[in-house]
């Protein structure tokens, strides 16, 4: 059983949000995202606001560190454009926050509140709860690659898409330590589309607002 797709098809169908932004390769700004998503998320805690006072991170948040047997390989360089770099890092931190919450077996893990709100937070909560219910955690290496960042006109929101090869990341039974391995096949390839936005706060805080997950994404081979 693979890591992130261990959630049921019904779970994904309920939680995923279909987006309408443009696709294709490369990265850059685009006016095809006609309006920003809602940024009326619940206020961040004072601790979270303080931790982000210096600006949104452009790399993986060290507070989301994972155990030695679980590695997320974000196989890309940070864009030179500041807003693109923050958008890409926000999407990566959102993905890592979900795995961190799985490892901690908590839908209230702080990283979820820091890096997601709205439908993205609902997706993450459902995803993490499925692992908690089955008493699974994660192990192995998850490989993310081919990112594309498309920003709105004012560079305060956008869409981040990327591929995922899950062939070497697995669910693991917490009680027995049994690793739920499966061979690599078309289901190993997944594509993600994450809408991110800057919140209307004094500090530069970005969060994932919604997420679309496509399994058997053969374009990622």
């Amino acid at each position: 059983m693979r890591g992130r797709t261990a959630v049921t098809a019904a779970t994904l169908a309920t939680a995923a949000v279909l987006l309408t932004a443009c696709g294709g390769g490369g990265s850059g700004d685009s006016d095809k995202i006609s309006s920003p998503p809602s940024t009326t998320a619940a206020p961040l805690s004072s601790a979270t606001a303080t931790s982000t006072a210096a600006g949104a991170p452009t790399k993986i948040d060290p507070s989301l560190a994972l155990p030695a047997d679980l590695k997320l390989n974000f196989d890309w360089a940070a864009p030179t454009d500041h807003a693109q770099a923050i958008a890409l890092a926000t999407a990566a931190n959102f993905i890592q926050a979900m795995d961190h919450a799985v490892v901690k077996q908590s839908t209230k893990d702080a990283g979820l509140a820091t890096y997601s709100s709205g439908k993205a937070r609902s997706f993450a909560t459902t995803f993490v709860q499925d692992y908690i219910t089955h008493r699974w955690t994660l192990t192995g290496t998850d490989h993310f690659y081919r990112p594309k960042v498309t920003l709105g006109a004012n560079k305060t929101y956008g869409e981040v898409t990327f591929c995922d090869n899950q062939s070497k990341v697995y669910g693991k039974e917490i009680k027995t330590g049994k690793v739920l391995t499966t061979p690599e096949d078309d289901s190993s390839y997944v594509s993600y589309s994450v809408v991110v936005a800057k919140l209307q706060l004094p500090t530069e805080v970005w969060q994932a607002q919604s997420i679309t997950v496509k399994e058997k994404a053969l374009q990622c081979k």
Side-chain angles (χ1 to χ4, degrees):
M1 182 175 298
R2 290 180 184 83
R4 205 171 313 284
T5 52
V7 291
T8 64
T11 295
L12 288 173
T14 299
V17 180
L18 295 178
L19 307 179
T20 58
C22 64
S27 64
D29 303 337
S30 173
D31 57 5
K32 292 185 180 181
I33 301 178
S34 58
S35 60
S38 171
T39 55
T40 56
L44 300 178
S45 67
S46 58
T48 300
T50 299
S51 68
T52 57
T58 55
K59 57 185 179 180
I60 297 299
D61 187 335
S63 71
L64 301 176
L66 299 170
D69 70 328
L70 177 60
K71 180 181 179 181
L72 273 60
N73 176 18
F74 295 103
D75 188 9
W76 54 63
T80 55
D81 179 84
H82 181 64
Q84 287 185 18
I86 291 175
L88 185 58
T90 298
N93 276 304
F94 171 51
I95 295 296
Q96 183 134 342
M98 285 196 285
D99 282 10
H100 190 269
V102 167
V103 170
K104 296 298 184 182
Q105 293 283 284
S106 173
T107 59
K108 299 186 182 300
D109 196 44
L112 297 181
T114 300
Y115 290 105
S116 66
S117 59
K119 293 184 182 298
R121 180 69 180 277
S122 296
F123 175 90
T125 300
T126 302
F127 170 78
V128 175
Q129 184 58 55
D130 194 67
Y131 276 84
I132 294 171
T133 299
H134 289 89
R135 296 293 293 161
W136 294 332
T137 186
L138 288 162
T139 190
T141 299
D142 212 352
H143 182 206
F144 302 93
Y145 52 101
R146 295 184 195 167
K148 169 181 163 50
V149 181
T150 305
L151 296 178
N154 60 4
K155 293 189 175 184
T156 59
Y157 60 94
E159 180 189 35
V160 180
T161 62
F162 50 91
C163 290
D164 179 16
N165 183 342
Q166 301 183 342
S167 62
K168 298 186 185 303
V169 64
Y170 311 103
K172 181 172 73 172
E173 294 178 354
I174 293 175
K175 183 176 181 179
T176 66
K178 179 182 178 182
V179 177
L180 308 173
T181 60
T182 55
E184 182 172 0
D185 59 19
D186 287 352
S187 297
S188 302
Y189 297 92
V190 178
S191 66
Y192 290 88
S193 178
V194 182
V195 169
V196 298
K198 180 181 177 181
L199 302 189
Q200 296 176 354
L201 295 171
T203 55
E204 189 174 34
V205 178
W206 287 59
Q207 290 181 328
Q209 302 283 310
S210 63
I211 181 171
T212 299
V213 181
K214 179 183 178 183
E215 297 183 323
K216 293 187 177 180
L218 302 187
Q219 73 272 23
C220 289
K221 276 191 169 184

